[in-house]
Structures are given as structure tokens and as C-alpha cells.
Amino acid sequence: MIYINSALPHVGVNFTEVDFTENGEPRSQEFDDVYFSDCGGMEESEHVFIGGCDLRERLRNRALSVRSSSFSDYLVGETGFGTGLNLLTLMNFHKRLQEEESLSDSGIILPHVTFLTVEKYPLSPEVMKKSHSRFPYVEKESSELIEALSSQKLHTGLNTYEINPEFTLKLMIGDITACYSSVYTDHPVDSWFLDGFNPKSNCDMWSVQSMKLLAGLSSAGTNIATFTVCREVRDNLREAGFTLVKRKGFGRKREMLTGFIGSSLN
Ligand SMILES: C[S@@+](CC[C@H](N)C(=O)[O-])C[C@H]1O[C@@H](n2cnc3c(N)ncnc32)[C@H](O)[C@@H]1O
């Protein structure tokens, strides 16, 4: 169960305007930054977040046999929902992994995924849809997300969408610190996708206060991934209790960052 214990009223939201570049990439007016990389977008999301959080192994380890009557859930937390591309990439990855012969033939069912995320400057479903049109590979996932988002008016605080039988979206509308300080989850977040804009212009998303809130919703075994390796972010994550490991970055980026709570991952 996930709920938000916030004094903030549930009020309707005004969607944020974005610019689209000549290549059709959405760009934030507020932060003068792109929502995803201009060299790959979805591939970068899969490399950095899905690969960085070892989700192939971790989802398989949490899988159940079809004969089991229990329910298994994997909780992914994110900072910065934006266009929802990370979620679409994860939905597509989950589907491909489930279809792999070794799993489907042996009657193994991957866990359901709850995707808990936050957004202070929400985009309209129309803008999201336009942003996704660059990625025909996730057309089905995009339609499912847009249909869910269009079915229910977004309000400040926690919004829940059952996207399909495998995915639930818990989208908090508000500032990262206000939302992650008032959300309650009955089990720790398994993996965090840290995806703010450039830390230089978007300090709130990477502050030590924010990182400590994420650590408070984590436990031994929780892991994290992010594209940034900048010094300040590393210092804040370490101060919040994460042990960090650099890995090979995507495309032109030499490095990216992964990490976990505690001093060893067991
Ligand atoms: C790099 S974008 C995220 C991209 C996104 N994950 C995607 O798949 O499209 C960073 C996001 O963080 C949001 N954001 C920035 N500052 C925030 C804050 N203080 N609280 C909550 N969200 C914030 C931005 O509006 C933006 O959507």
C-alpha cells in the first residue's frame, strides 16, 4: 500500500508548456534542458536505469511460478516523471523479459511493478504523446499510458493509475521534498531511477535533503542508478547513506553512477 499523508489540498493542475526542437525532442522552458538524451533516449534509459539497477536479474529473482497463488510486487521509485519515457522503457523491457523462452516455457511469472514517481511541472497527455512519437518501438506502451492518464484528471498529491495488469503508476504531483517526505510505502523501494535535470540548474532534485528522503524509503538491498556522476551528487548520495559504484556510461558519456544502501549489496 502507498499513500500520501499531505496537508496539501488536492487541486487540479495546470500543465507546463514545453518547446519541441527541430528533431521533435521536448525541451523544458523552465530549466532550458532536454527531457531525454538526443542520442538514443530510450536506449539510454534502458542502459542507465534498467541496466544500472540490474533489473534483468532482480525482476527474475522476484519472479513466481504460475502455480504459486502469492502476489509479488517490485517497487521502482523515480525522481522526475517528465514524459514518462523511463516508465515506457521499463514496461517494454518487462514484456520482453517475460517473453524470453527460459521464463515463459518454465511457467515463471515476473513480478507486478509499481512505479512511484514525482513531478512538479506536469506535461499534458497530448505533449507526452507527441514526445513519445519519436519512439515507435514503445507505441503500445505509450497508448496504454496516455489512455490511463486521460481517463482521470490529475490533481496535486498522489494519483494512481492501473496501466495494465503488470503495471501500476503512482504519480505524485508536487515538489520532490514535499512529496517524498509525506509518502508512505508499506515496503521499501527496490530500485531508484534518479532522473532530474542538470544538477547545476535543478539543485532541489539532487539535494542532500532529497537524497535522504529517498534513503528513508529504502532498505538494505535497494539500489539506484543515474546518468550523472557529478561531484556534488556523489557527495549528497554518500551523505544520505548510499555506497556508489561508477559504471560505463551510454553513448558519448564515459561514466554513469549506480549505488546501493549500506556498505555491501547482499
Ligand atoms: C530529466 S526530466 C525527467 C525525464 C523523465 N524521467 C522522462 O522519462 O521523460 C526531469 C523532470 O524533473 C522534474 N522536476 C524538476 N524539479 C523538480 C522538483 N523540485 N520536484 C519534482 N519534479 C521536478 C522536471 O519537471 C522534469 O520533468
Side-chain angles (χ1 to χ4, degrees):
M1 195 183 34
I2 295 179
Y3 65 85
I4 197 161
N5 189 8
S6 166
L8 293 171
H10 280 193
V11 291
V13 301
N14 294 321
F15 293 118
T16 296
E17 301 280 326
V18 296
D19 294 327
F20 278 89
T21 64
E22 279 173 4
N23 302 332
E25 287 149 3
R27 190 174 181 91
S28 163
Q29 294 177 355
E30 182 89 23
F31 294 94
D32 191 22
D33 200 350
V34 286
Y35 282 80
F36 40 76
S37 148
D38 59 356
C39 62
M42 199 188 140
E43 287 85 357
E44 179 164 27
S45 169
E46 184 151 339
H47 176 90
V48 174
F49 299 111
I50 294 176
C53 285
D54 300 321
L55 289 187
R56 167 175 287 276
E57 297 74 25
R58 290 170 69 104
L59 288 172
R60 287 180 74 121
N61 290 345
R62 192 67 68 79
L64 292 171
S65 140
V66 258
R67 287 178 295 280
S68 165
S69 56
S70 23
F71 173 78
S72 167
D73 188 65
Y74 195 94
L75 180 54
V76 173
E78 185 192 50
T79 59
F81 186 58
T83 69
L85 185 65
N86 290 337
L87 172 61
L88 302 186
T89 308
L90 177 58
M91 287 166 65
N92 185 276
F93 174 80
H94 187 280
K95 182 176 72 186
R96 280 184 280 130
L97 188 59
Q98 182 63 64
E99 285 166 1
E100 279 182 8
E101 274 171 44
S102 54
L103 276 194
S104 50
D105 290 357
S106 47
I108 302 289
I109 303 287
L110 290 179
H112 170 273
V113 175
T114 300
F115 195 83
L116 172 65
T117 184
V118 65
E119 182 53 64
K120 187 172 179 180
Y121 309 97
L123 305 181
S124 69
E126 293 72 29
V127 168
M128 284 194 195
K129 191 173 171 187
K130 186 170 172 188
S131 310
H132 301 162
S133 61
R134 301 189 65 232
F135 306 105
Y137 195 58
V138 286
E139 192 180 348
K140 180 169 180 291
E141 289 79 6
S142 166
S143 304
E144 288 179 333
L145 175 63
I146 300 302
E147 191 183 327
L149 290 171
S150 310
S151 69
Q152 188 185 308
K153 252 195 161 156
L154 204 59
H155 57 73
T156 53
L158 182 62
N159 299 260
T160 300
Y161 300 95
E162 300 300 339
I163 297 180
N164 62 31
E166 284 79 36
F167 275 81
T168 302
L169 168 63
K170 297 272 182 182
L171 171 57
M172 297 182 287
I173 299 297
D175 186 74
I176 183 168
T177 44
C179 291
Y180 276 125
S181 61
S182 39
V183 70
Y184 168 86
T185 70
D186 64 358
H187 62 282
V189 172
D190 292 296
S191 295
W192 286 104
F193 295 179
L194 307 185
D195 197 13
F197 285 126
N198 185 335
K200 285 197 173 68
S201 54
N202 195 192
C203 343
D204 306 356
M205 290 290 264
W206 305 98
S207 68
V208 72
Q209 189 192 1
S210 297
M211 298 304 117
K212 282 184 176 172
L213 290 172
L214 307 190
L217 292 163
S218 308
S219 71
T222 299
N223 67 0
I224 62 161
T226 180
F227 57 87
T228 184
V229 287
C230 88
R231 178 65 189 268
E232 200 187 329
V233 169
R234 285 186 281 131
D235 287 349
N236 292 349
L237 281 165
R238 283 204 191 95
E239 194 176 331
F242 292 96
T243 298
L244 303 177
V245 182
K246 281 185 187 168
R247 291 196 195 172
K248 191 177 175 313
F250 178 82
R252 294 189 296 263
K253 292 184 190 145
R254 206 159 48 92
E255 296 174 318
M256 54 168 272
L257 205 59
T258 66
F260 51 88
I261 283 283
S263 53
S264 71
L265 191 59
N266 41 35

